[in-house]
Amino acid sequence: MREQIVILTGAGISAESGLGTFRDEGGLWAQHRIEDVATPEGFARDPERVQRFYNMRRAEAREAAPNAAHFALAALEAVQDVLVVTQNVDGLHEAAGSKNVLHMHGSLARAMCGACAARWDAPLVMQVADACPHCAAQATRPDIVWFGEIPYGMEEIDAALQNATLFASIGTSGNVYPAAGFVAEARRLGVRTVELNLEPSAGYSLFEEARIGPASETVPKWVAELS
Ligand code: BV8
């Protein structure tokens, strides 16, 4: 009987691919204030600064390669029913071959129009003066879910958790909601839970099982046990 696995991933799974995390030593939130670069208010105040922040991250993400953890999750799709719900905005799960990926916080690869909500593949460098390809308004922005905005795919995620036999959380500090609340929902539904992280996350006590260590080591081992 195949397992129905919902896997939440965070910045920690891409750390060994060279992409910065948020809350680790010297992380992104140590270099930039969340209010300035990851909120609609910050974008309204200084769109130039926000576009620069995401252009830098888009360029870094384009240079990064998936690591053993991304490849292991892609291989797992061949033997179990898997949905990867990622908070990450990089494309490393898809680059490793994962097909079933939901970007609940958006994606660096996508742009959107703040005026007509059209969405399209983002250019490497986005400028404030760019016009929307659909309505021509100069209101383009990264297709990223900022703080205070509603994450993508919430209904699909809730339905997947209802059906799940196993919930895994990989490389996330468990600070950001609603993602950080998925483990409590899984517990309420009687779904088995496991955390794979470099250190115990904020939701540590809610997981039945924890595997502490770098994702490139813990995830392939965990996947091998499920294959
Ligand atoms: C929402 C943008 C309502 C993309 C992100 C006041 C006003 C408004 C909202 C709120 C408020 N107070 C609280 C909230 C809710 C708010 C929130 O949770 N705030 C927190 C800070 C308290 N949430 C929201 O606003 C969300 N929207 O609530 O809307 C709603 C809700 C439900 C239903 C309907 C409506 C929107 C949140 C999304 C914000 N956007 N990013 C970008 O720029 O990237 S969040 C940002 O944090 C990223 O998406 C990131 O993925 C996410 C979580 O961070 P992590 O991935 O966990 O990364 P972190 O650095 O924290 O941790 C890394 C972990 O990896 C560590 O534990 C580390 O030990 C581990 N690690 C490191 N190396 C490795 C490793 N593990 C394994 N191997 C390694 N090698």
Side-chain angles (χ1 to χ4, degrees), residues 4-151:
Q4 309 291 320
I5 312 176
V6 174
I7 303 173
L8 174 68
T9 63
I13 200 169
S14 297
E16 291 163 273
S17 296
L19 294 181
T21 62
F22 291 88
R23 296 168 186 84
D24 287 331
E25 199 57 32
L28 282 165
W29 296 150
Q31 306 154 41
H32 307 269
R33 280 172 8 105
I34 288 180
E35 302 73 32
D36 291 339
V37 295
T39 62
E41 297 76 15
F43 183 67
R45 210 171 29 249
D46 187 349
E48 200 72 54
R49 175 206 289 252
V50 175
Q51 290 290 21
R52 253 198 328 274
F53 175 66
Y54 285 100
N55 288 339
M56 175 270 288
R57 296 200 36 218
R58 194 173 298 109
E60 277 177 357
R62 192 173 286 218
E63 294 309 308
N67 64 58
H70 298 103
F71 285 115
L73 295 189
L76 186 60
E77 279 185 358
V79 290
Q80 306 291 1
D81 291 332
V82 176
L83 171 64
V84 172
V85 177
T86 188
Q87 300 172 92
N88 299 338
V89 292
D90 61 55
L92 294 179
H93 284 301
E94 293 87 344
S98 282
K99 298 276 174 289
N100 228 2
V101 182
L102 195 163
H103 281 270
M104 67 178 291
H105 291 167
S107 166
L108 288 167
R110 298 288 282 170
M112 70 178 274
C113 176
C116 74
R119 283 164 170 79
W120 60 93
D121 288 343
L124 181 58
V125 179
M126 292 187 72
Q127 318 266 10
V128 173
D130 292 350
C132 166
H134 298 263
C135 76
Q138 286 186 324
T140 61
R141 56 168 276 186
D143 187 10
I144 295 278
V145 177
W146 286 326
F147 285 95
E149 296 188 320
I150 297 178

Side-chain angles (χ1 to χ4, degrees), residues 125-213:
V125 179
M126 292 187 72
Q127 318 266 10
V128 173
D130 292 350
C132 166
H134 298 263
C135 76
Q138 286 186 324
T140 61
R141 56 168 276 186
D143 187 10
I144 295 278
V145 177
W146 286 326
F147 285 95
E149 296 188 320
I150 297 178
Y152 289 133
M154 292 304 296
E155 266 137 53
E156 187 182 344
I157 297 166
D158 286 345
L161 284 171
Q162 300 276 343
N163 261 341
T165 57
L166 179 57
F167 172 72
S169 176
I170 303 175
T172 179
S173 63
N175 284 301
V176 175
Y177 287 83
F182 294 163
V183 58
E185 177 64 4
R187 291 296 299 265
R188 194 182 63 76
L189 293 164
V191 178
R192 296 186 346 262
T193 54
V194 58
E195 166 169 83
L196 297 92
N197 209 50
L198 195 59
E199 62 197 8
S201 73
Y204 178 72
S205 60
L206 288 169
F207 289 93
E208 287 158 303
E209 191 195 349
R211 303 198 179 193
I212 302 294

